[in-house]
Amino acid sequence: MAELGRLLPDITVSPPGAVCERYIEILASTECLTLTARRARRREPSGLSHDPIVWSAARGANVIDADGNRYVDLTSGFGAAAVGHGHPKVVEAIKLQAGKLLHALGDVHPSETKVQLLERMAQLAPFEHARVILGLNGSDAIEAALKTAALATRRPGVLAFDGGYHGLSYGALATCGYKESFRSCFAQQLGRHVVLAPYPHRTTSDRNSCTNRAIQAVESCWDRARLPIGAVLVEPIQGRGGVVQPPEGFLAELDRLCKEREALFVVDEIYTGLGRCGSWWRCEDEGVEPDLICAGKALGGGLPISACIGKAEVMAAWGGPGQEALHTATFFGHPVCCAAALATLDVIDKEKLCQRAEKLGDKLLSLLRESCGSSPSVVEVRGAGMLIGIELKNQAHAVAIVRRLLEKGYLTLPAGVNNDVISITPPLTIAPELIEGFVEALDEALFDVASL
Ligand SMILES: Cc1ncc(COP(=O)(O)O)c(C=O)c1O
C-alpha cells in the first residue's frame, strides 16, 4: 500500500466542499478584492461555484483540502515543491534550525547556514568564481541582477521579452512582457528603461532561419531603445508565459550579441533551474554562459528564498572601499530558509532529480502526445523535463479542463498570455503511476469539454 505523497486522488466531496466554501466566504470579505472579482467573473457564464479549494495538508505529490479530498498536485505549488511537498529531509532541517537559531542579523552578523548556502550556491553556478546575493522571492533575485548590471555597465537600459515573466515588484514588473494589464495600471510609476523584444517560438521549420529572424528582431528593438542597454534579461523557456521554447541556437546567438554589444546576459532560471528541465541549469543545455543567473521557487523546498548568482568580475561593481550595503533587507539570508535550501539542494543531488526529471518528463511528454496530441482541442504539447505545456484551442477550453481536472483530483494551472495553455510542473519526485492516472484523467476531461 503506497503512502501519502504517492497516492492517486480520492475525491469524496465535490470540490469545493462545504468547509472550503466557508473559508472562501471569509476570504471574500477580508482579502483584497482580487479573489471576489475573479469569483464573480468565473461564476457568471456557468452559474456554478468555481471557488478554489483550500489546502489543509500536503506531502510528496499529494494535497489534502479542508474537506478531506485528496489531490495529485501537478503544479508543485507554482514550482516551489520540486522535491515534493514537505520532503522529510527539508522538514527535518527546518525543525533543527528553528530550534537553534530562528533569525540572525543578515549582512551585519550572518548565520552559519547563510555562509554554508553561499558556498554551495557559488559551487553550483554555471561559471567559475561566482558570487551570490540572496533574496526571498524570485523578483528579489531579478532586482538584484538588474541593479548589478546597472552598477557594472553604467548603462540603465534593459532588453527583455514579450511574454516574459519575472515577478511583480516594481523593478521586476517593468521588465515583464507577460501581460500588458499587469503593467498598465502602474505604468506611471514604472521606469521607462525597458524595451521588449519578440520572444521566438520553436517551430519545425528551418532552425537557422528562425533564429536569424529572431535575432534581427532583437537587434532592431535594441537599436530603438531609449536608453543604452546594459542588460538582456531572458527566460530559457518561458514558464508562466505558456511554456514557450525558443528555437535551438537562439540563446547562444543572444549571448553572442550581448558580448558584441557589451551588455550583461542575465538568465532567469527561477522556473527552469534546479532540476525542473532535466539539468541544474537549462542555459547549460543550451551551451550558454550567462553573466548573471537567477534562481528561486524550488530552492527553498517550500520556504521563500532566491539567489542572484553573478560572475565575480561583474559582482565586483558592488565593492569599493567605504561602500554601504546598498542592497539588503531584514530577512535576506534567513537562517531557516538557508537550512531548507541546503537540504533541498542535497535532495536534488542525492535523489538524482535532474536525471529523474529528464526521464520522467520524456515519458510524460510522449504519453501526452500519444493520448491527446490529435484531440481537436489541443494545438500543441511541448516542454522540457518536467516543465510541460498543453496549448488548447482557446482560453475557455483551458479553463474548463483545469476545472474538470480539479474535480477529478488533479491540480493544474492555466498559463500563457491568453490563458490557453495548461502548465504541468509536477514534483520531480512524483510516482510514475500518478502521471499515468493524470494522462487518463486529461483524456476524459478533453472528451467532456469537446463540445465547448
Ligand atoms: C521565470 C520567473 N521569474 C520570476 C518569477 C517571480 O518569482 P516570485 O513570484 O517568487 O517573485 C517567476 C514566478 O512565477 C517566474 O516564473
Side-chain angles (χ1 to χ4, degrees):
M1 168 73 178
E3 74 275 23
L4 183 64
R6 306 173 64 86
L7 295 174
L8 285 162
D10 182 19
I11 303 297
T12 50
V13 182
S14 173
V19 184
C20 289
E21 284 280 25
R22 269 203 301 282
Y23 276 127
I24 295 302
E25 280 306 323
I26 297 172
L27 272 192
S29 60
T30 52
E31 200 180 36
C32 99
L33 285 185
T34 318
L35 173 80
T36 329
R38 203 193 296 162
R39 195 179 185 206
R41 205 167 54 234
R42 290 208 176 134
R43 194 170 283 185
E44 232 167 63
S46 65
L48 298 171
S49 165
H50 275 193
D51 279 347
I53 55 162
V54 175
W55 291 23
S56 172
R59 182 64 83 240
N62 288 137
V63 167
I64 311 288
D65 77 9
D67 289 280
N69 286 323
R70 185 175 68 229
Y71 302 84
V72 171
D73 179 18
L74 294 146
T75 74
S76 307
F78 300 129
V83 297
H85 291 282
H87 192 291
K89 293 274 188 246
V90 176
V91 173
E92 187 189 316
I94 292 171
K95 281 187 185 159
L96 256 177
Q97 186 58 40
K100 197 172 157 202
L101 175 73
L102 201 51
H103 180 62
L105 212 48
D107 56 357
V108 179
H109 300 306
S111 70
E112 288 171 318
T113 49
K114 172 177 165 178
V115 179
Q116 289 157 1
L117 180 62
L118 287 199
E119 194 177 22
R120 186 77 193 270
M121 296 296 300
Q123 285 162 359
L124 202 61
F127 39 75
E128 287 192 335
H129 310 299
R131 289 185 178 258
V132 186
I133 302 172
L134 293 179
L136 291 170
N137 294 300
S139 50
D140 293 338
I142 296 294
E143 302 212 345
L146 296 176
K147 282 185 180 176
T148 304
L151 283 176
T153 65
R154 309 237 162 243
R155 275 181 265 143
V158 175
L159 186 137
F161 288 88
D162 288 332
Y165 187 81
H166 304 290
L168 299 183
S169 57
Y170 269 2
L173 180 59
T175 67
C176 251
Y178 174 58
K179 277 184 188 171
E180 181 51 30
S181 55
F182 279 40
R183 283 197 316 270
S184 55
C185 313
F186 311 107
Q188 308 254 22
Q189 291 182 323
L190 292 176
R192 293 161 61 79
H193 55 291
V194 180
V195 57
L196 293 175
Y199 190 85
H201 292 218
R202 182 172 294 198
T203 60
T204 44
S205 59
D206 180 41
R207 169 202 143 162
N208 287 339
S209 63
C210 268
T211 297
N212 291 346
R213 270 198 310 278
I215 289 294
Q216 277 163 16
V218 170
E219 283 178 313
S220 95
C221 290
W222 198 316
D223 294 338
R224 276 187 276 117
R226 223 175 274 138
L227 294 167
I229 300 291
V232 171
L233 172 62
V234 69
E235 287 168 87
I237 296 177
Q238 288 188 338
R240 191 167 178 184
V243 190
V244 180
Q245 290 173 279
E248 267 177 65
F250 172 70
L251 291 173
E253 279 301 298
L254 198 57
D255 185 14
R256 185 196 53 75
L257 194 62
C258 287
K259 293 195 169 63
E260 190 182 296
R261 296 189 173 205
E262 294 177 356
L264 297 185
F265 188 41
V266 185
V267 176
D268 178 349
E269 295 249 16
I270 288 164
Y271 221 152
T272 51
L274 306 182
R276 171 65 48 203
C277 295
S279 52
W280 282 99
W281 306 112
R282 176 71 185 168
C283 63
E284 281 188 310
D285 301 339
E286 298 277 343
V288 296
E289 193 182 278
D291 298 294
L292 291 149
I293 189 163
C294 297
K297 289 196 185 280
L299 181 58
L303 288 198
I305 183 161
S306 64
C308 160
I309 313 171
K311 288 183 174 165
E313 67 266 27
V314 170
M315 290 297 217
W318 288 100
Q323 188 68 279
E324 285 258 13
L326 293 179
H327 182 78
T328 177
T330 307
F331 292 113
F332 280 0
H334 191 276
V336 181
C337 299
C338 289
L342 280 163
T344 301
L345 295 174
D346 270 349
V347 170
I348 297 175
D349 200 15
K350 296 206 170 105
E351 295 187 14
K352 300 193 176 4
L353 293 186
C354 296
Q355 294 90 321
R356 196 168 196 278
E358 186 184 10
K359 226 170 124 201
L360 214 51
D362 282 351
K363 177 180 165 173
L364 176 54
L365 203 57
S366 55
L367 279 178
L368 287 169
R369 284 185 175 143
E370 251 168 56
S371 79
C372 67
S374 56
S375 158
S377 305
V378 174
V379 176
E380 192 183 24
V381 181
R382 56 183 179 245
M386 298 279 247
L387 179 61
I388 292 179
I390 305 168
E391 185 176 334
L392 278 301
K393 215 160 61 173
N394 55 39
Q395 172 175 351
H397 271 78
V399 171
I401 288 171
V402 167
R403 190 71 206 177
R404 288 297 291 137
L405 286 169
L406 174 92
E407 287 159 3
K408 291 170 188 290
Y410 291 92
L411 303 180
T412 56
L413 283 170
V417 176
N418 302 315
N419 282 335
D420 53 1
V421 177
I422 301 179
S423 76
I424 312 294
T425 58
L428 310 182
T429 51
I430 190 169
E433 310 84 81
L434 305 190
I435 287 205
E436 284 152 21
F438 163 68
V439 175
E440 256 174 56
L442 177 67
D443 217 22
E444 290 165 14
L446 280 165
F447 182 78
D448 294 346
V449 305
S451 58
L452 272 185

